[in-house]
Amino acid sequence: METIRALVVRESTPLPTVAVEALPASSFSERPLRVRVAYSTLNYKDGMVMRGQGRLVRTYPHIPGVDLVGQVLSDATDTYAPGDWIIATGFRIGELYWGGYAEEAFLEPAWAVRLPSSMTPRQAMGIGTAGLTAMLAIMALEHLSILPGSEAPLLVTGAVGGVGSIAIAIASRLGYTVAGSTGRDTETDYLTHLGASIVIPRSDLDGGPERPLESERWLGCIDSVGGQTLARVLAQTKSNGAIASVGLAGGSSFTASVMPFLLRGVSIAGIDSVNAPLSEREIAWSRLAELLDPALLEEMITEISLEQLPTYAENILAGQVRGRVVVALDTGL
C-alpha cells in the first residue's frame, strides 16, 4: 500500500494531538495536480491550527501547512508538466484543505504559480506567505502613492516576525527610510542589519492613542499587530499617509477616531494574501525574486524537520520566532 509521510493533527480534548504519521495515499483528496513537496514553512496561522485555535479547521484528521513548494508529479489538466516547480500559498490550503506538511500534496492548478527561475525552492519557502504578504503590502502602499524619498519613516510593526523581517528588507532596498517596532530589545542589531534605520520599542505603540490625532510620525505603515497598536499608528500617520493592515497578533479589534481619515486623509488598505488573484501573486513573486537579497534571506531562515514543528508552533504563538522557519520535506529533489 502506498503511503505518504505527513504531520497529522487529530481532534482531541483539551488540545488536538499532533504527530508524524504514514497515511495511505488513498486518504488524500484526488485533486488534479499532484506535487512532491520539497519544503513548507511555519506561519502564525499554522501554529494556531496545531493548537486548535481560531476554529480554522472544521474537519479532522488534518494536515497543516499553508505554504509549499514542490515538483509536479502529474497534472490531469495539463496546466503543468511533470518536473515543473510550483509554489502554492493561500486559497485555504492548510486550513480547509490538507496542506504542505506532507511529502506529497494534491492541489487545484489554480492554487499554484511557477517558481521563478532565479529562485531556489528553499528560498521560495524562506519567503512563503509572509514574504508574499509583505510584497503585496508594499504594492498596496505604492498604489496609494506612499513612495520612497520622504524623510518620514515607513513603520513596520511586528518587525522581527516573518512579514516584518521581509518587509524591512524589501522596503529598505526600494529606498524607504524604515522604522521597525518590536517588543524584543535584543533584536536591534538584527533589524538594523535587515535595513531598519530606526528601532522603537513596542511599548511606544501598544497602549492605543492618547488623543484622536497625535504628532505626525509615519509616512505609512505595514502593520502585522492590529489591536490598539494599529489605533495608535493611525493617530500618528502623516497627512495622506496609508497603513497596510496584514495581521492581528495583538488583537482583532481596535478603538480609534475617524479624525485621521477626515483631517489627514489617511487610508487603511487591507491585505488578503489568502485570496489574492494569481495575476497579483505572479507580479509579487517576480518582484520578490528581483528585490530580496538571497544572502539576507538566508540569514532570516531557520530550517527544521516535521518532527520539530510542534515545538516551533508553541514558539511562534508565544512570539519567540525570529524571521522565517522553513520545514524540509524532501531536500533531494
Side-chain angles (χ1 to χ4, degrees), residues 175-312:
Y176 291 91
T177 299
V178 183
S181 167
T182 180
R184 293 185 251 174
D185 57 10
T186 57
E187 300 289 5
T188 297
D189 289 346
Y190 171 72
L191 295 177
T192 54
H193 182 62
L194 293 182
S197 300
I198 306 162
V199 178
I200 64 170
R202 180 174 60 200
S203 57
D204 281 8
L205 301 171
D206 64 5
E210 297 177 357
R211 300 178 301 280
L213 292 174
E214 298 187 351
S215 297
E216 297 182 43
R217 300 179 69 183
W218 317 116
L219 171 69
C221 176
I222 297 172
D223 174 53
S224 60
V225 176
Q228 287 307 101
T229 293
L230 175 56
R232 185 149 211 191
V233 172
L234 177 63
Q236 295 179 352
T237 300
K238 291 176 67 67
S239 293
N240 299 310
I243 300 167
S245 176
V246 304
L248 43 67
S252 60
S253 61
F254 68 99
T255 302
S257 166
V258 299
M259 293 180 70
F261 306 116
L262 302 180
L263 300 183
R264 288 184 180 163
V266 177
S267 302
I268 296 181
I271 307 303
D272 178 9
S273 60
V274 172
N275 298 302
L278 284 175
S279 58
E280 286 187 22
R281 292 170 186 267
E282 289 167 351
I283 293 169
W285 279 107
S286 176
R287 293 190 68 185
L288 285 160
E290 173 192 352
L291 292 170
L292 194 53
D293 179 356
L296 202 56
L297 175 61
E298 183 60 35
E299 294 177 21
M300 301 180 203
I301 292 175
T302 300
E303 184 175 312
I304 66 171
S305 65
L306 280 179
E307 287 80 6
Q308 292 173 286
L309 269 166
T311 297
Y312 275 81

Side-chain angles (χ1 to χ4, degrees), residues 8-284:
V8 182
V9 180
R10 295 188 180 274
E11 192 170 24
S12 183
T13 302
L15 296 173
T17 61
V18 184
V20 177
E21 302 180 21
L23 296 178
S26 58
S27 63
F28 287 71
S29 296
E30 294 184 5
R31 294 190 180 87
L33 179 60
R34 185 172 184 173
V35 178
R36 182 73 177 178
V37 180
Y39 294 95
S40 184
T41 67
L42 175 67
N43 297 283
Y44 193 88
K45 188 179 289 185
D46 298 311
M48 293 177 67
V49 167
M50 282 184 270
R51 293 289 292 175
Q53 298 179 3
R55 292 176 54 82
L56 295 172
V57 178
R58 303 300 176 89
T59 304
Y60 293 90
H62 183 69
I63 298 173
V66 303
D67 298 342
L68 65 94
V69 63
Q71 196 168 37
V72 173
L73 296 173
S74 62
D75 181 4
T77 69
D78 293 326
T79 304
Y80 297 100
D84 286 349
W85 280 91
I86 61 93
I87 303 167
T89 67
F91 297 108
R92 306 297 301 277
I93 299 167
E95 301 175 58
L96 188 60
Y97 311 111
W98 285 9
Y101 295 167
E103 291 175 334
E104 294 187 17
F106 295 75
L107 310 169
E108 296 295 333
W111 299 345
V113 298
R114 294 184 187 275
L115 176 70
S117 59
S118 61
M119 186 181 290
T120 69
R122 188 173 186 272
Q123 288 168 348
M125 288 297 95
I127 295 168
T129 283
L132 176 65
T133 300
M135 191 70 248
L136 291 173
I138 289 172
M139 289 163 59
L141 293 178
E142 289 172 338
H143 181 71
L144 292 167
S145 298
I146 308 303
L147 303 172
S150 171
E151 292 183 3
L154 176 69
L155 174 67
V156 177
T157 66
V160 176
V163 176
S165 294
I166 295 177
I168 288 173
I170 297 171
S172 176
R173 177 74 178 271
L174 286 169
Y176 291 91
T177 299
V178 183
S181 167
T182 180
R184 293 185 251 174
D185 57 10
T186 57
E187 300 289 5
T188 297
D189 289 346
Y190 171 72
L191 295 177
T192 54
H193 182 62
L194 293 182
S197 300
I198 306 162
V199 178
I200 64 170
R202 180 174 60 200
S203 57
D204 281 8
L205 301 171
D206 64 5
E210 297 177 357
R211 300 178 301 280
L213 292 174
E214 298 187 351
S215 297
E216 297 182 43
R217 300 179 69 183
W218 317 116
L219 171 69
C221 176
I222 297 172
D223 174 53
S224 60
V225 176
Q228 287 307 101
T229 293
L230 175 56
R232 185 149 211 191
V233 172
L234 177 63
Q236 295 179 352
T237 300
K238 291 176 67 67
S239 293
N240 299 310
I243 300 167
S245 176
V246 304
L248 43 67
S252 60
S253 61
F254 68 99
T255 302
S257 166
V258 299
M259 293 180 70
F261 306 116
L262 302 180
L263 300 183
R264 288 184 180 163
V266 177
S267 302
I268 296 181
I271 307 303
D272 178 9
S273 60
V274 172
N275 298 302
L278 284 175
S279 58
E280 286 187 22
R281 292 170 186 267
E282 289 167 351
I283 293 169

